[in-house]
Amino acid sequence: MPTAGYYLGTFFTDIITSYNYWIAFVLLTLIGANMIKESFEEEDCPDANMAVPAMFALAVATSIDALAVGVTFAFMNVSIIPAALSIGCVTFACSAVGVKAGSLFGLKYKSKAERVGGAVLILIGLKILLEGLQIL
């Protein structure tokens, strides 16, 4: 996904560059607010569907942020191959640790972690916006 985002970003660099901090702010705020909203909702029974179509859809849905990172890399003229390989390795390691930690602590801390995570995303978006507007 970072590689796909990188190549998409190279086509739209001129258009998006002047508004990239607003785009990042809006996206991070929407994602963060949605996380906070979901933390207050009742938990549905988890679906253990491991079929290939369901897993593929889940993989694409959870890697949209990696696509956005790839677009950002295009603006920064980052060498995409080493960056994508690094992202893949770190994502694998963090996912393995996250699965283990989630199985141990997930039910107890889920809603609190979602609230904190959502707030952090909103604050990061605000920081990006303030830096883009040259306030910070």
Side-chain angles (χ1 to χ4, degrees):
M1 288 301 260
T3 306
Y6 178 83
Y7 289 112
L8 283 173
T10 58
F11 292 117
F12 300 109
T13 302
D14 296 335
I15 299 168
I16 298 176
T17 301
S18 58
Y19 303 106
N20 62 352
Y21 50 90
W22 279 104
I23 293 169
F25 170 71
V26 169
L27 290 175
L28 289 171
T29 300
L30 288 174
I31 293 168
N34 188 48
M35 285 177 66
I36 293 169
K37 179 184 78 75
E38 287 179 358
S39 74
F40 291 102
E41 295 175 356
E42 284 289 321
E43 182 66 31
D44 294 334
C45 292
D47 181 13
N49 184 359
M50 299 292 281
V52 172
M55 294 304 290
F56 182 76
L58 184 59
V60 170
T62 57
S63 61
I64 295 297
D65 57 339
L67 182 77
V69 168
V71 171
T72 305
F73 284 169
F75 301 142
M76 298 170 44
N77 294 321
V78 171
S79 179
I80 191 61
I81 300 300
L85 288 172
S86 297
I87 289 170
C89 291
V90 170
T91 300
F92 175 79
C94 289
S95 295
V97 170
V99 166
K100 185 62 176 173
S103 68
L104 295 173
F105 303 110
L107 293 176
K108 186 174 182 179
Y109 299 109
K110 180 186 180 299
S111 61
K112 293 175 186 171
E114 278 186 328
R115 289 180 199 136
V116 170
V120 167
L121 287 178
I122 292 170
L123 290 172
I124 290 171
L126 184 61
K127 179 183 179 286
I128 291 170
L129 177 64
L130 294 176
E131 285 177 349
L133 295 173
Q134 298 178 348
I135 296 172
L136 288 180

